[in-house]
Amino acid sequence: MSTPKTFDQWQNDALSNVLSVTLDGSKPSARHVLSDVADELRAEGVPALITTATLERVLVARLDEAAVEACGTGGFGYLAGCWQTAHAVVGNLCGPKGRALDAAVREARVGALRTAQALLVSYMGLALQLPDMFAQGGRAGQAIIADALMADDGANALAAVLPELLEQLAARFADDGLPEVVAPIVGELALRTLLRANHSLLQPGFRRVLAALETLTASRPIAQALPHMATFDPGDCAGRRMQTGTALGPVLALSGFPGSDEAISRVYYADAPQRSRQDCEALHVGLRTTTQFLQAAQFEIVSRLVRSGSAERALTLQLTLRTLATNAQRSGMQVDMARVVDDGFADNLAAVWLRLSEPFANDPALQRIDRIDAGWIAQRAMRGASAGGLDDEQGHISTYWRELTRINADRELVDAQLEQLEQLAQQPGAGGGAAAAAAAP
């Protein structure tokens, strides 16, 4: 009769399986042998077993450049695979297969695997924040996650468990650089949006990009992190670059306007004279339906950012105001379209904010009219973030706001009114209004 395994022996077997490594080089194994770690543990008088106490040492050794080259698996890909294995074992222990175990034994085993998952999540986050921290090889972490986010059903093993992984990443790095963890993933999705296969309403790829961002922002902590990314509203982006150089720019630039996608003209209108009226109308209905789907998804993404918190709402408003300010030339008589955002981007941005305004704009009973503060933007457009305002470091927003064309008001009158609003805002007890009812959580 065999002797029952101790808990440490069970951990060694389970964690060896999770990490696909072994400290026992005396037996043939398909797993990578970490003989140096085993020798170090024996020299310290510690059993050469993989337990929660030795787990990090083993993991660091496996992520060493020599091990990566020997196994042919990149750092992030390896970590994600280990996390998936641990997730599957935890599922077995918590499911019908684990019910035969004593409750205390099952709890201890699940605890050991949860510890392993937490460590793997920490290293995955670090690999996203500091990709040079680990040996290079295989696909980058952001590419692996983007693959899973954009995968069709069943086509990617990580996709099925990705929401849980994202929640664990968000919880681990909530106060430890979550924007830096998320930024590479959003950046990867932005780059993929610019690809021809994804940047056309005539291709299915654009739907996968939208679905990926909706999955990502479904996590409230991640939605809160997005506006704090350095790439969300970089100061060196202005004019046309707002739709290519900002994190959400490529997604907001998706549209059915011919200027955004030349294929629309070729497919829908190249043979328009030969088409019947009914055929043309059917094409228009299809294009309108696709555009409605697109703008609904864009609204949902931006809405989650706006509603995730007051600071995030202010940053999203600042991005919008800076886009307006640096693209003011669009309202001119002669416009150089190479220097401003295109019609599709402008239409999408307007559609998003018009829909955010619906709670009070479409209020027949006028029950919310008293919550609208017409001077809310004006007060904040003239102040920088350090003073609780929305102006950017380059002063684009304040300059734009001063130079807007007003009916029945000259520059001096506008400046006087803005100064009066500023004085009122600084008085004790001034609440600053409703801060735009559309953006209220």
Side-chain angles (χ1 to χ4, degrees):
M1 183 176 180
S2 60
T3 304
K5 291 181 180 179
T6 65
F7 182 56
D8 282 354
Q9 289 172 331
W10 179 88
Q11 285 189 88
N12 181 68
D13 291 345
L15 296 177
S16 290
N17 178 51
V18 167
L19 301 181
S20 192
V21 297
T22 181
L23 301 184
D24 186 1
S26 63
K27 301 176 183 178
S29 175
R31 297 170 183 168
H32 185 66
V33 181
L34 297 174
S35 54
D36 289 346
V37 177
D39 292 342
E40 289 174 9
L41 291 174
R42 293 190 187 97
E44 296 169 10
V46 178
L49 298 174
I50 305 175
T51 65
T52 52
T54 61
L55 179 62
E56 187 164 13
R57 187 189 299 195
V58 172
L59 183 58
V60 169
R62 172 57 183 80
L63 292 172
D64 180 75
E65 184 174 1
V68 169
E69 291 179 356
C71 297
T73 304
F76 191 93
Y78 167 73
L79 291 167
C82 293
W83 184 90
Q84 287 175 260
T85 302
H87 180 274
V89 178
V90 168
N92 287 335
L93 286 171
C94 294
K97 293 182 179 180
R99 291 174 186 168
L101 294 171
D102 178 78
V105 172
R106 183 173 61 249
E107 185 177 345
R109 292 183 177 184
V110 170
L113 291 164
R114 294 288 191 200
T115 299
Q117 280 189 295
L119 184 64
L120 291 165
V121 165
S122 292
Y123 275 79
M124 276 190 274
L126 291 173
L128 289 167
Q129 287 177 323
L130 306 165
D132 294 336
M133 182 176 180
F134 304 107
Q136 299 300 305
R139 306 203 67 196
Q142 60 265 31
I144 291 173
I145 291 184
D147 287 345
L149 285 167
M150 294 180 63
D152 293 325
D153 293 342
N156 185 294
L158 182 59
V161 294
L162 188 61
E164 186 172 345
L165 174 58
L166 291 174
E167 289 294 344
Q168 290 187 22
L169 276 169
R172 164 62 181 82
F173 290 93
D175 300 313
D176 193 16
L178 184 57
E180 289 74 26
V181 172
V182 175
I185 303 171
V186 178
E188 178 71 19
L189 292 174
L191 288 174
R192 295 189 184 195
T193 307
L194 295 173
L195 297 175
R196 185 181 298 274
N198 300 325
H199 204 71
S200 171
L201 301 196
L202 303 179
Q203 301 292 334
F206 87 93
R207 295 177 183 270
R208 290 196 287 268
V209 170
L210 293 171
L213 279 169
E214 287 190 275
T215 299
L216 203 59
T217 55
S219 166
R220 186 182 179 89
I222 292 179
Q224 286 181 314
L226 256 68
H228 296 278
M229 300 184 311
T231 55
F232 183 73
D233 185 13
D236 62 348
C237 279
R240 181 76 173 195
R241 288 200 63 211
M242 297 299 288
Q243 72 180 51
T244 56
T246 59
L248 296 183
V251 174
L252 288 172
L254 288 167
S255 86
F257 279 72
S260 302
D261 183 6
E262 295 179 356
I264 296 289
S265 297
R266 293 196 304 270
V267 172
Y268 281 76
Y269 302 108
D271 58 349
Q274 288 75 45
R275 289 181 180 271
S276 67
R277 183 182 182 88
Q278 291 78 9
D279 285 348
C280 290
E281 183 59 30
L283 288 173
H284 293 158
V285 169
L287 189 56
R288 281 197 297 269
T289 301
T290 304
T291 300
Q292 289 169 357
F293 166 83
L294 168 69
Q295 292 186 339
Q298 291 168 332
F299 163 78
E300 189 63 35
I301 293 164
V302 175
S303 175
R304 288 171 180 175
L305 308 189
V306 167
R307 300 176 190 278
S308 64
S310 58
E312 293 72 31
R313 179 163 62 248
L315 289 170
T316 309
L317 277 169
Q318 184 182 54
L319 170 66
T320 304
L321 286 172
R322 217 166 68 76
T323 302
L324 295 175
T326 61
N327 286 276
Q329 294 179 3
R330 279 186 55 86
S331 61
M333 292 294 292
Q334 295 182 337
V335 183
D336 182 357
M337 292 305 296
R339 302 186 64 178
V340 296
V341 296
D342 63 26
D343 294 336
F345 184 100
D347 182 65
N348 290 334
L349 191 63
V352 166
W353 283 100
L354 284 172
R355 188 167 173 185
L356 282 168
S357 303
E358 284 182 357
F360 61 86
N362 295 340
D363 181 20
L366 303 180
Q367 294 178 344
R368 299 187 181 185
I369 195 168
D370 59 336
R371 296 180 59 192
I372 303 173
D373 181 358
W376 190 86
I377 291 289
Q379 293 175 24
R380 287 154 182 80
M382 306 305 298
R383 289 180 289 172
S386 60
L390 296 170
D391 195 17
D392 58 344
E393 294 180 0
Q394 294 77 18
H396 289 132
I397 295 172
S398 57
T399 301
Y400 167 70
W401 202 259
R402 285 186 183 280
E403 294 180 354
L404 276 175
T405 299
R406 270 87 170 184
I407 299 176
N408 297 327
D410 57 18
R411 173 69 177 267
E412 289 72 21
L413 184 59
V414 169
D415 286 348
Q417 184 193 34
L418 291 173
E419 183 177 351
Q420 182 182 15
L421 287 171
E422 185 67 20
Q423 291 173 354
L424 290 172
Q426 293 176 358
Q427 291 179 0

